[in-house]
Amino acid sequence: MAALTKDRSTPSRDGDYLHFPVKGGVKIFAGAIAVHTTGFAKPGITATGLIALGRADGFVDNTNGADGDTFVRIKRKGAFRFDNLSTDLVPRSHIGLDCYIVDDATVASTDGAGTRSIAGKVADVDDDGVWVSF
């Protein structure tokens, strides 16, 4: 493509939500940490190499489908409260730092000796959990 020589109507998205194809053989529950490795969303787990997408905005069951047979709406903007792993608590002093995925509802302070992927930045910590920004 050539550089513009006249005005162009460029499509846009607000960036609040992703409409992401779901990995075959998985369920994603509303409120889950959604991740991907190969372009297909799945629930967060303890593993390396995961890319956190955001919070699933609805339930999707693709357990009997192939990769991409269904889509999940994922909210990216804002901060979302997830459980704080009791054995690897995220302290308030970690606000602004990375936290790590334990499962689709839980984050931890450390990468678990190289076994966990980054969830996002700690936005806040309260008695009910860790607020994560993706």
Side-chain angles (χ1 to χ4, degrees):
M1 298 309 252
L4 294 177
T5 58
K6 62 181 181 178
D7 292 344
R8 176 178 185 254
S9 176
T10 302
S12 66
R13 295 179 178 172
D14 65 13
D16 286 350
Y17 291 93
L18 298 172
H19 186 68
F20 218 83
V22 176
K23 179 96 178 124
V26 302
K27 282 183 189 176
I28 301 175
F29 292 95
I33 297 171
V35 301
H36 87 95
T37 54
T38 60
F40 298 99
K42 60 186 182 178
I45 60 170
T46 295
T48 58
L50 302 177
I51 300 166
L53 296 170
R55 184 209 62 205
D57 206 40
F59 171 75
V60 177
D61 185 350
N62 198 28
T63 52
N64 295 318
D67 291 353
D69 278 356
T70 59
F71 285 77
V72 62
R73 185 174 179 198
I74 299 170
K75 181 133 173 83
R76 292 203 41 86
K77 288 192 177 177
F80 309 95
R81 187 175 61 212
F82 295 102
D83 295 336
N84 199 348
L85 185 65
S86 63
T87 57
D88 192 3
L89 283 171
V90 177
R92 285 194 53 77
S93 62
H94 281 206
I95 292 173
L97 300 176
D98 291 334
C99 61
Y100 297 85
I101 301 166
V102 175
D103 58 36
D104 61 354
T106 311
V107 295
S109 179
T110 71
D111 69 358
T115 63
R116 300 178 187 137
S117 297
I118 295 171
K121 297 289 184 190
V122 176
D124 198 6
V125 178
D126 61 29
D127 291 341
D128 294 318
V130 180
W131 293 85
V132 179
S133 294
F134 292 95

